[in-house]
Amino acid sequence: MFAIELFIYLGFIVAFYVVANLHEDFKGLGIAHKIIISLFVYLLVIGQVNKSSQHTYPFAVWGMYSQVNPSQHYTEYLIEMDNGEVKHYPFETIAFTSQRSFMRKLNQFALRSDEKGGQYVIENTLDTLVQIYQKRKPDQIIVAFRINRIHIFLAEDGPGFTTSIQTEYEKIFVE
C-alpha cells in the first residue's frame, strides 16, 4: 500500500508540474534552488506517506490529515506540588524540539524499572527532572512524580467514552 500511495502522490506532482507549466519556471532556477525545492517536495510526500515513528525519530509521525481512529491510549507525566496542585511536567523546558521522544524514552525507563539497574535509572532520571524544574521555579516544590497510562474506551452504541488510569511508575519526594 505504501508504494501505491507514494506513486499516486508522485503522479499528481508530475501532472501538476506539466499542466501548470512549472517546468518553464523551474528552468530559470539555479541548481541549488532546484535541489532544495526537489528535496522539499520529496520530504513532503514521504512525510505524508510514512506511518512509522521509527523513520522519523526524534520527531513524531505527522500526517496532513488526521487519522481515522486516534490512539486509544496515551501516557501522561504528572507532577504533584506541595500545595496539592497536579499538573503535567513541562517537557519543553528539557527538550524543546522533541518532547514526545523524551517522554517515550522516560516511559521505557519506567517500564524497565523492574530489570536490573532499571530502578536506579528511572529514579535518577526523575530526580534530575525535578531538580531542573525546581531550579527554574524555586518557589514551587514537587512532592510526587507519576507516570500514568490512560486507556480510552469508546462507547459502542453512541457518543461518549470512559477512561481507565493505570499508574506505571510513581516516585514520592519527601524531605
Side-chain angles (χ1 to χ4, degrees):
M1 189 64 173
F2 175 82
I4 294 170
E5 189 176 358
L6 180 63
F7 284 115
I8 289 172
Y9 282 125
L10 291 176
F12 278 124
I13 290 170
V14 169
F16 184 71
Y17 180 76
V18 172
V19 171
N21 288 328
L22 289 177
H23 57 280
E24 295 296 327
D25 296 330
F26 210 68
K27 284 181 187 176
L29 296 176
I31 189 72
H33 290 98
K34 288 179 183 178
I35 290 171
I36 290 171
I37 291 172
S38 299
L39 182 63
F40 177 70
V41 169
Y42 171 78
L43 290 173
L44 285 176
V45 170
I46 293 300
Q48 178 61 32
V49 176
N50 185 20
K51 304 289 190 249
S52 169
S53 61
Q54 292 176 340
H55 299 105
T56 60
Y57 184 82
F59 304 103
V61 176
W62 63 276
M64 188 177 298
Y65 309 104
S66 64
Q67 278 66 30
V68 177
N69 296 317
S71 176
Q72 291 187 322
H73 63 275
Y74 64 94
T75 305
E76 64 180 2
Y77 307 87
L78 301 174
I79 51 176
E80 183 179 339
M81 313 311 285
D82 61 345
N83 63 2
E85 179 185 9
V86 176
K87 58 185 176 180
H88 293 275
Y89 188 88
F91 284 102
E92 62 273 3
T93 61
I94 306 297
F96 60 94
T97 59
S98 57
Q99 294 96 10
R100 288 180 187 240
S101 298
F102 191 90
M103 289 185 271
R104 191 174 307 124
K105 185 53 80 177
L106 185 60
N107 195 40
Q108 289 171 356
F109 289 158
L111 292 174
R112 295 181 182 152
S113 65
D114 292 337
E115 296 177 7
K116 183 179 179 183
Q119 186 76 18
Y120 175 78
V121 172
I122 186 68
E123 286 197 11
N124 282 337
T125 303
L126 293 182
D127 286 341
T128 304
L129 288 173
V130 168
Q131 289 172 11
I132 291 170
Y133 183 87
Q134 305 238 189
K135 185 176 182 181
R136 293 175 192 244
K137 298 187 179 190
D139 57 328
Q140 298 180 5
I141 307 298
I142 296 175
V143 295
F145 196 115
R146 280 184 211 87
I147 301 174
N148 291 336
R149 183 79 162 167
I150 310 297
H151 297 276
I152 301 170
F153 301 100
L154 300 175
E156 292 183 23
D157 57 348
F161 64 92
T162 58
T163 59
S164 164
I165 300 173
Q166 174 187 355
T167 299
E168 291 185 351
Y169 192 85
E170 180 176 36
K171 177 157 176 130
I172 307 294
F173 298 93
V174 180
E175 293 186 16

